Amino acid sequence: MNDFVDGTAFNNEQGNRSRKLFAAVVLAALDDAIADDKKYGNGPEQIARWARSRDGREVLSCAGIDPNERVVNGLMEFVAKGVRTSVALSREESERRHAAELAQAAA
């Protein structure tokens, strides 16, 4: 019984690592689309094309993201904002956005 629990825990940990790896691929695709948007102006279309492709749907699924049209629209909106993923995920950016929302609500 103990071996079964150890094996299950190991498999779960491997699954979590795999999901994180595929999530990193999604973040890289977003960064590439943002770079394309700044250079060529077609970033949202690029990420939409990727997310709707077979490879994109598989990567999204492996990252634990349901590859539906709502997700594609969210990815397109994120790319259109032009904020790199490393900046968007940083604490400073989160605090800045929260302060801006509070200032907007007070006005």
Side-chain angles (χ1 to χ4, degrees):
M1 178 67 179
N2 210 8
D3 290 336
F4 174 74
V5 173
D6 288 344
T8 302
F10 177 77
N11 288 339
N12 185 44
E13 184 63 30
Q14 290 295 94
N16 288 338
R17 288 182 188 153
S18 175
R19 247 184 312 285
K20 287 178 184 178
L21 177 68
F22 280 103
V25 173
V26 173
L27 293 176
L30 285 168
D31 277 343
D32 288 348
I34 290 168
D36 281 352
D37 194 39
K38 289 180 180 179
K39 191 170 185 180
Y40 305 112
N42 66 346
E45 293 83 18
Q46 289 292 339
I47 197 69
R49 187 178 309 128
W50 175 80
R52 290 178 181 133
S53 72
R54 185 183 325 155
D55 290 341
R57 287 193 316 262
E58 186 158 348
V59 168
L60 288 169
S61 294
C62 289
I65 302 169
D66 185 23
N68 57 35
E69 198 57 32
R70 181 174 175 221
V71 168
V72 173
N73 290 335
L75 293 173
M76 290 174 68
E77 288 175 21
F78 185 85
V79 169
K81 288 179 184 176
V83 179
R84 305 285 293 196
T85 57
S86 59
V87 174
L89 295 174
S90 70
R91 181 176 303 191
E92 294 84 17
E93 177 67 15
S94 176
E95 290 171 355
R96 186 196 64 75
R97 265 187 273 140
H98 183 65
E101 289 172 1
L102 289 176
Q104 188 178 19

